[in-house]
Amino acid sequence: MAAQIWGSEKRARRRREISAKIAQMPELHDSKPLPFMTREEKIMESARKLTILTEKMGQIIDPTDPAELYHLNNEVLGLEGNPMALHGVMFIPALSAQASDEQQAKWLPRALRREIIGTYAQTELGHGTNLQNLETTATYDLATQEFVLHTPQITALKWWPGNLGKSSNYAVVVAHMIIKAKNYGPHPFMVQLRDEKTHEPLPGITIGDIGPKMAYNIVDNGFLGFNKYRIPRTNLLMRHTKVEADGTYIKPPHAKINYSAMVHVRAYMLTGQAIMLASALNIATRYSSVRRQGQIDKSQPEVKVLEYQTQQHRLFPSIARAYAFQFAGAETVKLYEHVLKEMKSGNVSLMADLHALTSGLKSVVTYQTGEGIEQARMACGGHGYSMASYISEIYGVAIGGCTYEGENMVMLLQLARYLVKSAALVKSGQSSKLGPLVAYLGVKSEPTSLIDRIPNSGFTEYVKTFQHVSKRQTLKAADMFFGLMEKGEKREIAWNKCSVELNRASRLHTRLFIVEAFVRRVNEIADIRIKEALTDLLHLHVNYELLDIASYALEDGFLSASQLDYIRDQVYLYLGKIRPNAVSLLDSWEFSDIELRSVLGRRDGNVYENLFKWAKSSPLNKTDVLSSVTQYLKPMMEKARL
Ligand SMILES: CCCCC/C=C\C/C=C\C/C=C\C/C=C\C/C=C\CC/C=C/C(=O)SCCNC(=O)CCNC(=O)[C@H](O)C(C)(C)COP(=O)(O)OP(=O)(O)OC[C@H]1O[C@@H](n2cnc3c(N)ncnc32)[C@H](O)[C@@H]1OP(=O)(O)O
Ligand SMILES: Cc1cc2nc3c(=O)[nH]c(=O)nc-3n(C[C@H](O)[C@H](O)[C@H](O)COP(=O)(O)OP(=O)(O)OC[C@H]3O[C@@H](n4cnc5c(N)ncnc54)[C@H](O)[C@@H]3O)c2cc1C
C-alpha cells in the first residue's frame, strides 16, 4: 500500500531508508517538544537543523529529488516551516521557470549551494488577490539602464512573503514595470535585499517580520519597502519577457506566463495537503483504537471508541479523501511538469487547462483537508485539544493553504471562467472543441441515474452521476450569467451576481476530477489485496461524496429518494467493511513518530504514560510555585483574607 501512496516500491523503500537514517541522527531531532518552545526558540532550532542538513543532506537523500527533499523536510524540520521554506518552494522554481539561461547560470548554482537565501515577494499590505493593482513600481531609467523599485505608500509594502522578514537576503520581487511612462503590468525581478557579509538591509530597503500567525510560526513572513532602490536592467527575469537597453519591450508568448511560480505551488501543494490530512487521521485513528469509553453492549467491557459508527463516519470518509487527494495530486504534478517543459520550449497551449485544474483542486482539497483535520481533532475528545495531539498545529498549517497561492473563492472563480467558456462551446454546438477534462459537458446523459439499477456496473454509474450534476450546474450557472448579460447587465456585474452558482459548478467539476483520479488509480492496481482494500475505500468515497452533493441530483429527479437510501446504506456498509483496515490504511503512509510529533498518535499506542510525561515536562512545571502566584495571586488572596 505504501508503494501505491508514494508512487512506487522504490519510493516507499527510499522513504523508509531516509526515516531510518534520521532516527540514527539525534542532532536532527527536536531538542524538546515544539509546543514548549517560544517562537524565537523554534526558529533557532530550525536554523540549527537546517545547517546540519546543508552539510549532511547528501548522506541522507538525493538532494535533486523533490520527493526525497520533501520527506526529509517533514521529518526533520516539520510542518511549521523553516527559515528557508520559500527558498525551495518558490524562489528556486521562479528562477528555474522565469530566468533566462544566462541569468540561471548566474543565480541558480548560488541558490542551490545555499550561498544565498531567497523568497518570492508579491503580495502587498493592500493587495494580494488583485495583482493588477499591486502598487510597487519598477521604473526603467534609460540613462543608467536600471530599474528603480519604489514603494509609493504604506499599502504598497510587500506583506506576507515567507522568510522575507529575517532570513532571506534575496527575493524575486513582483512589481509593475514602467518604461517611458507606459505600465506593462506586474513582472518578476531578482532583487538583493541584504548585504551578503553583514546580512544588514541594504540602503533603500525597509524590511522586517510581520509578527506571529495562526500557525507556520517558524516562518518569518515579512514586510518590505523600497525607497527608489536601483537594480540593473538585467535583473528583470527575462526567460519569456525582455527589455532591451533602449527600453524596447518584448512581450511573452502568454500574458500570464510570469505566474508560473504560483501554479507550481498550487500543483505541488495537493499531495502536501493529503499528507497533512493523513497525518491527523493517523493520530486520531490510532488513538481511537486505544481509547476505551462506554459500552455498545452493556454486558461487555468498554469499547475502543473506533467501534462507534459516529466515530467511523467522522474519520473514514476523510481517509478516503486523503488517498483521493494523494492520487489526484500525483496526476497533477505529472501534468504540471509536462506543461512546464512545453512552456520552456515555447508551447503555452496547455497553460489555461492547467491553471483551471490547479485552481479548482487547490480550493477543494485545502477546504476538505481543513474539515477532515478538524474532525480528527474533535474525534480525540479532550486530548485532541491538547498540543500533545499536535493536530491543532497540523490544522493551522494546512488551513493556510485555503488562503495562500490564491484565496479559495477567487481560485474557484478562475476555474469558473474556464467552465463558462466551455459551456459556451456546448451551447454553440462546438462540443468537439472541448478539452479532455471538460469533454463530458458535451455528452448527453441518461434521463435518470442507473446507480443500483445495473448489477456489477463498478463505478461507472457513479462517475456518470457526478458528471451529470457537474454538467447541469455548469450549464445552469452559465445560463444565468449569459441571461443577465442578454438583459443588458455589464459582464462584470453579471459575473458577480452569478458567482455563488459559478463556484458551485467549480466545486462539482473538481470533485468529479478527484473521483475520476481515484477510479483511474484503482483500475491500474494489479495486487488483489491492495485493490480490494482500495476498492472498499473508493466505494465509501463515491457514496459519501454523492450523498454530500445529493441535492443537485435530487432537484431534477436524476436520483430518486430510494436511490438515495441505497447510497446511504452503502456508506454504512463500507464504514463497517473499512473498520478492520482503518489503522493499517493510515499506518501504510509510514509516518514515523519523529515526523508525527504527536503523543496521542504514537505508533506503540502507549498514550497515557506519555501524556503524563509530556505534561510533567511543561516549563510551567519546573517549579511548584510560579512567580505569577507569588507576585499577584498570593498577595491578592492574603489581602482578601485580612
Ligand atoms: C525546504 C525544502 C522543501 C522542498 C520542497 C520540495 C518540493 C515541494 C514543492 C512545492 C510545495 C509543496 C507544498 C507547499 C507547502 C508549503 C507552502 C508554503 C508556503 C506558501 C507560500 C505562499 C506563497 C504565496 O501565496 S505567493 C502569492 C500568491 N498570490 C496569488 O496566488 C494571487 C492570486 N491572484 C491571481 O493569481 C491573479 O490575480 C488572478 C486572480 C488569477 C487574476 O489575475 P489577473 O492578472 O488580474 O488576470 P486577468 O487580467 O483578470 O486575466 C485573467 C485571464 O488570465 C488567466 N490566468 C490567470 N492566471 C493564469 C495562470 N496562472 N495561467 C494561465 N492563465 C491564467 C485567467 O484564467 C483569465 O483567462 P480568461 O480571460 O481566458 O478567462
Ligand atoms: C501562510 C501564508 C503564506 C503566504 N506566503 C506568501 C509568500 O510567500 N509570498 C507572497 O507574495 N504572498 C504570500 N502570502 C499572501 C497570500 O498569497 C495572499 O494572502 C492571498 O493570495 C490572498 O490575498 P489577500 O490577502 O489579498 O486576500 P483578499 O483578496 O483581500 O481576500 C479577502 C476576501 O475577499 C474576497 N475576494 C477578493 N477578491 C475577490 C474577487 N475578485 N472575487 C470574489 N471575492 C474576492 C476573498 O475571497 C476573501 O474572502 C501568504 C499568505 C499566507 C496566509
Side-chain angles (χ1 to χ4, degrees):
M1 191 63 92
Q4 281 303 325
I5 294 167
W6 301 113
S8 66
E9 291 281 355
K10 184 180 162 215
R11 282 232 170 278
R13 179 171 41 77
R14 283 292 299 147
R15 283 186 95 259
R16 268 173 234 136
E17 286 166 3
I18 293 166
S19 298
K21 279 189 197 158
I22 294 167
Q24 300 304 316
M25 299 171 83
E27 68 273 31
L28 292 180
H29 303 172
D30 299 344
S31 57
K32 62 178 170 182
L34 292 176
F36 292 139
M37 292 188 201
T38 63
R39 186 167 178 226
E40 287 80 356
E41 281 174 326
K42 283 186 194 181
I43 291 173
M44 189 66 114
E45 168 87 343
S46 188
R48 175 186 73 75
K49 287 195 258 178
L50 200 66
T51 52
I52 301 174
L53 281 185
T54 304
E55 292 292 311
K56 298 192 177 169
M57 189 145 58
Q59 297 165 29
I60 312 170
I61 60 160
D62 167 5
T64 62
D65 184 332
E68 294 199 3
L69 251 176
Y70 200 53
H71 179 49
L72 179 74
N73 176 69
N74 285 349
E75 283 252 357
V76 178
L77 300 169
L79 296 167
E80 298 182 50
N82 66 78
M84 286 183 72
L86 265 286
H87 183 81
V89 169
M90 287 196 89
F91 180 65
I92 289 178
L95 291 180
S96 306
Q98 292 164 17
S100 66
D101 290 345
E102 201 181 323
Q103 291 175 321
Q104 287 188 11
K106 185 168 164 196
W107 296 316
L108 260 184
R110 298 196 72 207
L112 290 167
R113 284 197 300 268
R114 300 185 169 183
E115 272 179 39
I116 58 173
I117 301 176
T119 182
Y120 183 79
Q122 179 175 289
T123 305
E124 296 173 356
L125 191 52
H127 292 90
T129 294
N130 186 3
L131 300 181
Q132 301 304 331
N133 276 24
L134 292 177
E135 295 173 275
T136 305
T137 49
T139 308
Y140 188 54
D141 180 347
L142 206 64
T144 59
Q145 293 185 24
E146 288 170 320
F147 282 104
V148 184
L149 290 171
H150 192 60
T151 304
Q153 55 187 338
I154 192 162
T155 48
L157 283 171
K158 292 292 170 194
W159 199 275
W160 270 114
N163 307 129
L164 170 68
K166 296 289 162 189
S167 309
S168 300
N169 51 5
Y170 281 78
V172 168
V173 173
V174 178
H176 273 271
M177 184 165 71
I178 298 166
I179 307 171
K180 295 179 192 162
K182 181 171 175 190
N183 189 338
Y184 288 88
H187 281 76
F189 298 86
M190 173 72 161
V191 183
Q192 182 174 356
L193 306 171
R194 291 173 178 272
D195 184 281
E196 283 195 24
K197 286 203 180 101
T198 64
H199 205 66
E200 290 293 336
L202 291 170
I205 301 263
T206 305
I207 197 165
D209 174 72
I210 64 168
K213 305 156 300 255
M214 181 170 170
Y216 257 137
N217 278 308
I218 302 184
V219 180
D220 46 319
N221 292 76
F223 60 79
L224 167 67
F226 298 105
N227 184 9
K228 300 195 176 132
Y229 184 77
R230 288 177 171 267
I231 54 170
R233 170 184 64 90
T234 48
N235 277 31
L236 165 70
L237 298 191
M238 295 219 216
R239 177 158 221 89
H240 308 292
T241 312
K242 287 180 187 57
V243 170
E244 291 179 347
D246 65 357
T248 305
Y249 177 78
I250 299 164
K251 68 174 193 177
H254 188 292
K256 307 299 172 194
I257 205 157
N258 289 328
Y259 291 1
S260 69
M262 288 183 275
V263 181
H264 168 90
V265 181
R266 287 174 200 147
Y268 271 90
M269 67 191 277
L270 306 173
T271 50
Q273 292 277 322
I275 290 172
M276 286 189 270
L277 179 55
S279 304
L281 291 165
N282 199 5
I283 295 165
T285 308
R286 280 181 180 171
Y287 174 67
S288 298
S289 65
V290 167
R291 181 72 164 179
R292 288 180 183 272
Q293 189 101 240
Q295 291 131 302
I296 293 175
D297 176 343
K298 292 286 173 209
S299 65
Q300 297 297 313
E302 284 197 297
V303 293
K304 297 171 178 174
V305 294
L306 199 55
E307 305 308 344
Y308 293 115
Q309 194 186 47
T310 46
Q311 188 81 347
Q312 296 171 4
H313 192 248
R314 202 170 216 181
L315 296 172
F316 297 177
S318 289
I319 302 180
R321 281 183 177 174
Y323 274 84
F325 299 163
Q326 185 75 348
F327 299 152
E331 282 193 9
T332 311
V333 164
K334 265 194 202 150
L335 180 67
Y336 167 79
E337 293 298 341
H338 171 66
V339 177
L340 183 71
K341 212 166 129 199
E342 292 293 307
M343 254 166 59
K344 280 185 174 171
S345 55
N347 174 12
V348 293
S349 62
L350 292 169
M351 274 178 60
D353 295 44
L354 179 69
H355 171 57
L357 176 70
T358 50
S359 297
L361 280 170
K362 180 261 173 218
S363 306
V364 170
V365 166
T366 55
Y367 184 77
Q368 294 189 344
T369 293
E371 273 185 337
I373 297 174
E374 180 58 353
Q375 282 302 315
R377 183 188 69 73
M378 291 187 198
C380 296
H383 297 319
Y385 197 72
S386 163
M387 292 295 285
S389 78
Y390 207 60
I391 298 182
S392 62
E393 193 66 56
I394 301 174
Y395 177 75
V397 171
I399 209 78
C402 295
T403 307
Y404 66 65
E405 290 315 341
E407 206 288 320
N408 276 357
M409 295 294 160
V410 174
M411 299 324 288
L412 288 169
L413 286 168
Q414 286 291 305
L415 167 58
R417 291 172 76 115
Y418 181 86
L419 292 177
V420 167
K421 276 190 191 169
S422 306
L425 287 176
V426 175
K427 284 174 188 298
S428 60
Q430 301 180 77
S431 297
S432 60
K433 290 192 181 157
L434 292 168
L437 295 176
V438 280
Y440 70 93
L441 294 176
V443 177
K444 200 169 173 318
S445 65
E446 323 274 348
T448 54
S449 171
L450 298 178
I451 284 177
D452 88 343
R453 308 278 150 87
I454 302 185
N456 306 321
S457 64
F459 296 104
T460 312
E461 297 309 322
Y462 282 90
V463 169
K464 281 187 186 167
T465 306
F466 279 99
Q467 286 177 338
H468 173 83
V469 291
S470 176
K471 174 183 163 181
R472 188 163 161 272
Q473 180 63 23
T474 294
L475 299 183
K476 190 172 150 191
D479 274 346
M480 192 176 162
F481 171 61
F482 295 137
L484 284 174
M485 284 207 298
E486 274 161 24
K487 282 189 194 145
E489 285 282 22
K490 275 167 88 180
R491 193 179 176 86
E492 293 76 12
I493 306 291
W495 184 261
N496 190 37
K497 284 187 174 167
C498 304
S499 52
V500 172
E501 290 302 319
L502 288 165
N503 275 2
R504 289 191 170 137
S506 293
R507 287 192 199 94
L508 290 170
H509 170 79
T510 306
R511 291 174 79 163
L512 163 67
F513 177 86
I514 294 169
V515 164
E516 287 180 313
F518 202 160
V519 173
R520 275 193 289 275
R521 176 62 76 91
V522 168
N523 285 343
E524 281 168 11
I525 298 171
D527 183 304
I528 299 289
R529 287 165 316 146
I530 299 297
K531 195 173 185 119
E532 247 174 46
L534 280 182
T535 302
D536 285 348
L537 211 51
L538 180 53
H539 273 292
L540 178 64
H541 187 66
V542 291
N543 285 291
Y544 182 86
E545 300 296 317
L546 201 47
L547 205 53
D548 200 40
I549 58 163
S551 63
Y552 293 96
L554 288 171
E555 62 190 9
D556 70 338
F558 193 69
L559 274 184
S560 66
S562 76
Q563 282 174 311
L564 206 62
D565 282 340
Y566 170 81
I567 291 167
R568 236 179 242 124
D569 286 346
Q570 291 289 297
V571 169
Y572 306 139
L573 173 74
Y574 282 97
L575 289 180
K577 278 200 173 193
I578 286 162
R579 164 64 190 96
N581 274 338
V583 174
S584 308
L585 280 166
L586 291 157
D587 282 354
S588 299
W589 291 67
E590 300 186 333
F591 300 122
S592 69
D593 281 350
I594 290 178
E595 178 173 0
L596 279 186
R597 295 178 164 81
S598 171
V599 181
L600 236 49
R602 294 165 59 95
R603 183 169 275 269
D604 66 8
N606 195 355
V607 169
Y608 295 125
E609 212 172 286
N610 284 290
L611 268 177
F612 191 33
K613 229 192 244 171
W614 189 86
K616 282 195 287 191
S617 73
S618 164
L620 289 190
N621 292 327
K622 272 191 187 145
T623 159
D624 277 334
V625 183
L626 288 182
S627 48
S628 60
V629 174
T630 45
Q631 212 172 318
Y632 296 108
L633 303 184
K634 198 162 152 280
M636 179 193 74
M637 291 188 283
E638 281 164 359
K639 201 170 160 196
R641 273 185 223 126
L642 285 177

